Amino acid sequence: MENYRLLYYQPGTQAWKQVPVTGETFSIGRAPENNLALEDEQVSRQHAHLHIDARGVWIIDQNSINGVIVGGQRIAAGEWKLLSLNDNFTIGATTLRVEAVSPATSPSQPVTPAAGPARVAQPRQTNRALPLVGLLIAAACVCLVGGGIATWMFLPGLLSNESTASQQAEPTSAPPTVIDSLPASAGGGPVQDEHGVSLDVPPDALEAASRPTWNAPA
């Protein structure tokens, strides 16, 4: 069965007031022995009565003078009327309304909220690929640094050796061959050096070179 509360508003007040509706019956009137005693001259001492069951909240007019107004109409005295929740009804100069409340907010039945399920700590998932990636990056850095150092140490020597080798490989032009002797007689043909290059020699020079030279006796 649901829990209910009765809200009521009287002229001259600043706000609505509320009272819990407990049990299956609830009385409203001007007499102090009622569940809700209203200080209203238009309200009878035993004005109305509420009944709660599985179908909802019912109201009955107990032969009051001014009656009970529900939905703008006065209900018949001595007959039960099912109230619609959150709809206003009038007793004398007081406006009333019945509302359903959850057990947690009902002032008559305080309920301690149940503790939620305990949170289970989930194991952290570590990425096993990260250490391998770090090792690969470190190895690449070491290779780059080592290659730079090796280049700095050995490159000058390599460049020096290549320069020396290129200097040694360059061909040198052979110096011209000096002819120490000429053919023995003129008309013997052109004079050639040891590389087979023809040399133009004047005929007079050839004749002079072919003449015997006599040394005077001592």
Side-chain angles (χ1 to χ4, degrees):
M1 186 180 296
E2 288 189 86
N3 295 319
Y4 299 94
R5 64 182 178 182
L6 181 63
L7 285 77
Y8 62 98
Y9 178 83
Q10 293 178 301
T13 59
Q14 300 295 326
W16 288 77
K17 296 180 182 180
Q18 65 176 347
V19 59
V21 178
T22 58
E24 294 183 357
T25 61
F26 191 89
S27 60
I28 303 172
R30 195 175 70 251
E33 63 267 17
N34 289 285
N35 295 111
L36 176 60
L38 296 173
E39 296 181 0
D40 187 344
E41 295 297 330
Q42 301 181 29
V43 175
S44 301
R45 291 181 59 83
Q46 301 293 333
H47 198 107
H49 204 85
L50 299 179
H51 177 74
I52 298 96
D53 61 14
R55 293 170 294 178
V57 180
W58 299 80
I59 189 169
I60 189 172
D61 181 359
Q62 294 184 311
N63 298 315
S64 64
I65 297 175
N66 295 314
V68 177
I69 308 300
V70 177
Q73 295 182 354
R74 182 170 178 169
I75 64 175
E79 295 183 5
W80 290 99
K81 171 70 174 177
L82 182 64
L83 294 173
S84 299
L85 296 180
N86 303 322
D87 285 346
N88 296 337
F89 62 95
T90 304
I91 294 178
T94 304
T95 303
L96 304 94
R97 182 173 69 243
V98 177
E99 293 182 351
V101 294
S102 62
T105 59
S106 175
S108 61
Q109 297 181 5
V111 178
T112 303
R119 296 182 63 183
V120 179
Q122 298 293 334
R124 294 185 61 185
Q125 297 181 356
T126 57
N127 193 344
R128 297 182 178 180
L130 291 178
L132 180 59
V133 173
L135 291 176
L136 292 176
I137 294 175
C141 293
V142 170
C143 292
L144 290 175
V145 173
I149 294 175
T151 302
W152 177 76
M153 293 178 62
F154 297 106
L155 183 59
L158 294 175
L159 294 176
S160 177
N161 292 336
E162 290 182 359
S163 177
T164 303
S166 62
Q167 291 178 1
Q168 292 178 356
E170 291 180 357
T172 56
S173 58
T177 301
V178 179
I179 300 175
D180 294 334
S181 61
L182 294 175
S185 61
V191 179
Q192 295 180 349
D193 60 7
E194 64 180 359
H195 295 287
V197 179
S198 298
L199 299 176
D200 293 331
V201 180
D204 297 340
L206 293 175
E207 293 180 359
S210 60
R211 295 176 187 155
T213 303
W214 301 99
N215 293 327

